[in-house]
Amino acid sequence: MTTLVYNIPVFGWALREAVCGPAATKLLFIVNLLACWLLAILAFGYPAIIIPALTAVPAMFVALILITWDR
């Protein structure tokens, strides 16, 4: 699965460097993601703020279920 993700033309090599590279590369990857998000907000406005929040809701819901699951 990781090789499939790493073979994406632009995003794959940056992700591979962020995972396997030094700490500075990880920090710069996060800064680049935030910069891309800010540019999307400038270009598209309010939907660029709301859509990531709406996609995070199911992930947080699953995380809360897994945390509180009585095994």
Side-chain angles (χ1 to χ4, degrees), residues 26-47:
K26 293 173 178 53
L27 179 64
L28 289 174
F29 182 75
I30 292 171
V31 169
N32 283 333
L33 287 178
L34 289 174
C36 287
W37 188 36
L38 288 175
L39 287 173
I41 291 170
L42 287 174
F44 302 114
Y46 193 63

Side-chain angles (χ1 to χ4, degrees), residues 39-63:
L39 287 173
I41 291 170
L42 287 174
F44 302 114
Y46 193 63
I49 298 171
I50 294 299
I51 290 173
L54 290 176
T55 57
V57 169
M60 293 309 292
F61 189 63
V62 169

